[in-house]
Amino acid sequence: MLEVTDLHAGYGDAQVLFGIDLRLEPGEIVAIVGSNGAGKTTLLRAISGAIRPTQGSIRLKGEELAGRQAHEMVEKGLIMVPEGRRLFPRMSVRRNLEIGAYSKRARPHLAERLEYVYRLFPILKERSEQLGGTLSGGQQQMCAIARGLVATPEVLMLDEVSLGLAPVMISRVYDAIRAIGDLGVTLLLVEQNVNQALSVADRAYVIQHGRVALSGTGKELQGNEEVRRIYLGLSSTEE
């Protein structure tokens, strides 16, 4: 579904990513984990077109997309749910969801996609006329994920979905991610919450200093001492 090869990217003269390789098969949940500042969000921004890679390939279903602008990536089906939810607080929940279908790709499917996300997140249907800014943090995260689903993604990329949420809400959001995966949606999940991410991931990549340090199935990487070392940023001498 998605193949990234030798991806380099950064901001101005500050290079952040150094030759990232990853792949997603159709219907997989793939997690990107690592410590703060490892380059996880930069990777999603490069794939989504928010920043332009300086080198490398991004192929969606075999089509080369590296260097395309963000709106072009959306039209192709690479949809990113950014860190911090980014809802329109003075718009209703329904209007926030409808905005997810602004692209030519998604517009004809708005009614069926709304029905789909309301089944997945019943609370959003109950509160469809409520202002987005009045929802709880967990409900706002559900709304942001639902807005991404309304955009009819080929790959849905989720950035730090557990950030700032209470443990009970993190559990509910991850239950929803499992349900989305069970429906066959291909997911790329960036998280600092390593245990949560690996618990739902079919496969995962551990990023350290802008490079892939480890990869494997979610189960293989859970409890791996090397993952702990990289995630905590400990050197062998510090251990």
Side-chain angles (χ1 to χ4, degrees), residues 124-188:
L124 298 182
K125 185 172 185 179
E126 292 174 23
R127 306 199 174 185
S128 62
E129 300 308 316
Q130 188 171 322
L131 296 183
T134 65
L135 297 176
S136 71
Q139 291 164 359
Q140 287 187 27
Q141 187 64 75
M142 292 176 187
C143 189
I145 293 170
R147 183 176 59 187
L149 289 168
V150 168
T152 65
E154 296 285 353
V155 176
L156 183 64
M157 299 180 286
L158 307 176
D159 192 12
E160 302 288 6
V161 293
S162 68
L163 190 67
L165 300 184
V168 64
M169 291 311 302
I170 292 173
S171 179
R172 290 177 185 173
V173 167
Y174 268 88
D175 285 345
I177 290 171
R178 288 185 182 91
I180 293 167
D182 288 343
L183 291 170
V185 178
T186 305
L187 291 165
L188 182 59

Side-chain angles (χ1 to χ4, degrees), residues 208 224-236 239:
Q208 184 183 34
N224 184 305
E225 284 301 311
E226 187 73 0
V227 172
R228 176 183 170 274
R229 184 184 70 81
I230 292 169
Y231 175 66
L232 294 175
L234 300 174
S235 69
S236 56
E239 288 186 299

Side-chain angles (χ1 to χ4, degrees), residues 49-200:
I51 62 173
R52 184 180 292 269
T54 55
Q55 182 179 318
S57 172
I58 301 168
R59 290 182 175 272
L60 180 68
K61 298 198 295 188
E63 182 181 359
E64 181 60 61
L65 298 178
R68 300 282 187 95
Q69 296 183 36
H71 70 275
E72 296 176 287
M73 296 298 205
V74 169
E75 288 289 359
K76 294 295 183 180
L78 282 173
I79 309 300
M80 180 175 170
V81 177
E83 177 186 332
R85 278 84 82 175
R86 308 286 182 90
L87 297 184
F88 294 94
R90 296 183 180 274
M91 291 184 181
S92 69
V93 168
R94 182 184 175 89
R95 184 61 181 144
N96 269 278
L97 295 176
E98 289 173 343
I99 286 172
Y102 81 93
S103 69
K104 291 179 182 178
R105 168 193 178 83
R107 209 170 299 144
H109 308 288
L110 174 59
E112 65 190 71
R113 299 303 287 184
L114 281 176
E115 184 179 341
Y116 166 67
V117 298
Y118 283 154
R119 287 199 307 269
L120 190 62
F121 302 107
I123 189 66
L124 298 182
K125 185 172 185 179
E126 292 174 23
R127 306 199 174 185
S128 62
E129 300 308 316
Q130 188 171 322
L131 296 183
T134 65
L135 297 176
S136 71
Q139 291 164 359
Q140 287 187 27
Q141 187 64 75
M142 292 176 187
C143 189
I145 293 170
R147 183 176 59 187
L149 289 168
V150 168
T152 65
E154 296 285 353
V155 176
L156 183 64
M157 299 180 286
L158 307 176
D159 192 12
E160 302 288 6
V161 293
S162 68
L163 190 67
L165 300 184
V168 64
M169 291 311 302
I170 292 173
S171 179
R172 290 177 185 173
V173 167
Y174 268 88
D175 285 345
I177 290 171
R178 288 185 182 91
I180 293 167
D182 288 343
L183 291 170
V185 178
T186 305
L187 291 165
L188 182 59
L189 174 67
V190 157
E191 263 287 13
Q192 284 192 67
N193 192 327
V194 175
N195 286 332
Q196 284 281 4
L198 295 182
S199 72
V200 301

